[in-house]
């Protein structure tokens, strides 16, 4: 992200093993993270262990590897406990970011950039950027070859929406509020708030 240096994330979650393959573009991408986020704690897919060890990545970073459990379809069975296998979610956002916030004790969570608009267009970028220098194959749904058939894409997207519905229900059960501060997008199970108001520029703009 162009503002990575200024934002200085406390945590960065990467749940997709596609970014952990041992090839030059993956190493380059992780080197960029290492350079621009020197103080950020990383929550990574366990497949990253080999890549990090072989290339000497993140020598000064604190790294935690999450473990995947059996995904639960019932909200009451979902546990946001990173000392145990993660049993909810599909993407990094639903599988790691939201559960991590709950695990850390957050009682109000604001989602930004959770568009979930993959099906709006098969050829337009669904990211904040138009093309990725290291991973252009993930720029659009039509380029993404992680799934063989369109039906597979539909199933994965459906599971992601189900995960957010389950997280919304579970959060209410345990007294946590999740707000969607994304401008637009398709996630309608979390109450919406304006991004400008969340970051404190709404009043000045009005």
């Amino acid at each position: 992200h162009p503002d990575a240096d200024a934002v200085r994330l406390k945590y960065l979650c990467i749940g997709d093993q596609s970014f952990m393959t041992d090839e030059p573009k993956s190493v380059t991408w992780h080197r960029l993270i290492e350079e621009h986020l020197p103080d950020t704690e990383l929550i990574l897919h366990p497949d990253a262990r080999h890549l990090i060890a072989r290339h000497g990545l993140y020598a000064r970073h604190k790294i935690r590897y999450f473990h995947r459990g059996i995904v639960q379809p019932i909200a009451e069975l979902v546990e946001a406990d990173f000392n145990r296998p993660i049993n909810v979610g599909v993407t990094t956002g639903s599988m790691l970011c939201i559960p991590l916030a709950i695990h850390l004790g957050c009682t109000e969570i604001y989602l930004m950039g959770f568009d979930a608009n993959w099906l709006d267009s098969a050829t337009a970028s669904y990211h904040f950027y138009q093309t990725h220098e290291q991973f252009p194959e993930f720029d659009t749904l039509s380029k993404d070859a992680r799934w063989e058939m369109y039906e597979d894409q539909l199933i994965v997207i459906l599971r992601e929406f189900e995960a957010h519905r389950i997280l919304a229900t579970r959060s209410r059960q345990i007294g946590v509020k999740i707000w969607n501060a994304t401008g637009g997008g398709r996630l309608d199970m979390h109450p919406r708030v304006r991004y400008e108001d969340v970051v404190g520029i709404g009043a000045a703009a009005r």
Side-chain angles (χ1 to χ4, degrees):
H1 194 283
D3 297 323
D5 294 318
V7 173
R8 300 177 65 86
L9 293 175
K10 184 172 179 60
Y11 297 95
L12 175 64
C13 301
I14 308 174
D16 191 338
Q17 65 268 34
S18 302
F19 301 105
M20 311 304 172
T21 55
D22 192 352
E23 49 188 339
K25 63 182 181 181
S26 297
V27 176
T28 299
W29 187 66
H30 285 283
R31 293 282 187 211
L32 287 171
I33 295 173
E34 188 175 31
E35 175 186 353
H36 291 281
L37 299 174
D39 302 316
T40 298
E41 184 172 338
L42 305 173
I43 315 294
L44 303 180
H45 191 284
D47 282 5
R49 291 180 187 271
H50 172 74
L51 183 72
I52 290 172
R54 181 175 181 184
H55 297 279
L57 298 166
Y58 302 122
R60 298 184 179 181
H61 283 71
K62 185 174 183 179
I63 302 174
R64 296 178 184 269
Y65 298 98
F66 71 90
H67 298 282
R68 194 70 164 131
I70 298 174
V71 175
Q72 297 294 339
I74 301 173
E76 288 79 3
L77 299 179
V78 169
E79 296 184 16
D81 183 352
F82 275 66
N83 296 311
R84 306 181 67 177
I86 302 299
N87 64 356
V88 68
V90 177
T91 66
T92 294
S94 61
M95 179 173 55
L96 297 179
C97 297
I98 295 175
L100 176 62
I102 296 173
H103 175 78
L104 293 173
C106 297
T107 56
E108 290 198 26
I109 300 169
Y110 295 88
L111 307 181
M112 300 177 187
F114 279 67
D115 301 277
N117 61 348
W118 302 283
L119 296 179
D120 284 11
S121 172
T123 57
S125 174
Y126 49 81
H127 302 288
F128 62 85
Y129 50 81
Q130 290 303 309
T131 187
H132 195 291
E133 185 175 350
Q134 284 78 40
F135 297 96
E137 63 268 34
F138 301 144
D139 285 347
T140 67
L141 207 61
S142 61
K143 291 182 179 179
D144 197 331
R146 285 175 289 186
W147 303 283
E148 293 183 3
M149 299 184 297
Y150 184 63
E151 181 184 7
D152 297 327
Q153 295 176 333
L154 294 176
I155 291 172
V156 171
I157 293 169
L158 173 61
R159 294 290 178 264
E160 174 68 357
F161 275 81
E162 289 176 340
H164 277 282
R165 174 174 50 79
I166 290 170
L167 283 166
T169 300
R170 185 58 177 153
S171 66
R172 290 193 295 269
Q173 293 172 347
I174 60 177
V176 174
K177 296 179 180 179
I178 301 178
W179 306 93
N180 188 359
T182 303
R186 299 299 179 184
L187 285 183
D188 54 7
M189 64 286 295
H190 306 297
R192 288 187 177 272
V193 293
R194 293 178 72 247
Y195 167 81
E196 293 80 2
D197 293 334
V198 173
V199 298
I201 63 175
R206 292 195 294 270

